[in-house]
Amino acid sequence: QVQLVESGGGSVQAGESLRLSCAASGLTYHLGCMGWFRQAPGKEREGVASISSEGATSYDDSVKGRFTISKDNANNTLHLQMDSLKPEDTAIYYCATYARPYGWLACVRSVSTYRTWGQGTQVTVSS
C-alpha cells in the first residue's frame, strides 16, 4: 500500500523560500507520476507541478521559474523547492501519485488522475 507523508510547510514572508518534502513508501510501479498540488481556502485543489519516473517535469504557469520539483529515488522522496514566494501561494500543499498505463504518456497535473494522496502541509506567505 502506497503512503505519502508531506513535511516542510510553514509561515514565511513574501520573497522567502521553503522546501517541501514528500516521503513515499510502498511504491512499486516504475511508470509512476508524482505531483504537487495546492488548495487555498475557498478554492479548488490545483496542480502545481509534476514529475515522471524518467524525470520529465511540468509546471503550472503561476509557479514557473519560482518552483522546482525534484525526486530522490534512493530515498523515495519528492521535493518542491519554492522560491520568491508570494501571498497568493498560501495554501495547503499535497503530494500525490498515480501509475501511467504506458511509459510514453506524459504525466498530467489534473486532480482526478491521481490516486494516492498525502495529508497535506500548510504554507502561509505574508506580505
Side-chain angles (χ1 to χ4, degrees), residues 96-117:
T97 187
Y98 75 98
R100 291 171 292 175
Y102 304 104
W104 51 265
L105 290 171
C107 293
V108 298
R109 297 192 306 274
S110 62
V111 173
S112 60
T113 304
Y114 286 73
R115 290 292 175 261
T116 302
W117 294 80

Side-chain angles (χ1 to χ4, degrees), residues 52-83:
S52 72
S53 51
E54 300 84 26
T57 59
S58 71
Y59 298 90
D60 184 79
D61 287 344
S62 64
V63 305
K64 276 182 182 176
R66 299 189 300 122
F67 290 11
T68 304
I69 188 171
S70 63
K71 58 189 179 79
D72 178 350
N73 291 327
N75 294 302
N76 283 335
T77 304
L78 180 72
H79 299 289
L80 185 68
Q81 177 67 39
M82 305 187 295
D83 299 320

Side-chain angles (χ1 to χ4, degrees), residues 2-87:
V2 179
Q3 289 188 323
L4 303 173
V5 179
E6 301 95 336
S7 61
S11 297
V12 297
Q13 298 285 324
E16 295 183 342
S17 299
L18 277 176
R19 188 180 192 226
L20 304 184
S21 296
C22 172
S25 61
L27 284 174
T28 59
Y29 41 83
H30 66 285
L31 297 179
C33 297
M34 298 195 75
W36 284 100
F37 297 77
R38 64 186 180 187
Q39 187 165 19
K43 294 189 177 181
E44 294 187 352
R45 192 171 299 188
E46 62 177 3
V48 174
S50 68
I51 187 167
S52 72
S53 51
E54 300 84 26
T57 59
S58 71
Y59 298 90
D60 184 79
D61 287 344
S62 64
V63 305
K64 276 182 182 176
R66 299 189 300 122
F67 290 11
T68 304
I69 188 171
S70 63
K71 58 189 179 79
D72 178 350
N73 291 327
N75 294 302
N76 283 335
T77 304
L78 180 72
H79 299 289
L80 185 68
Q81 177 67 39
M82 305 187 295
D83 299 320
S84 302
L85 282 162
K86 304 176 180 179

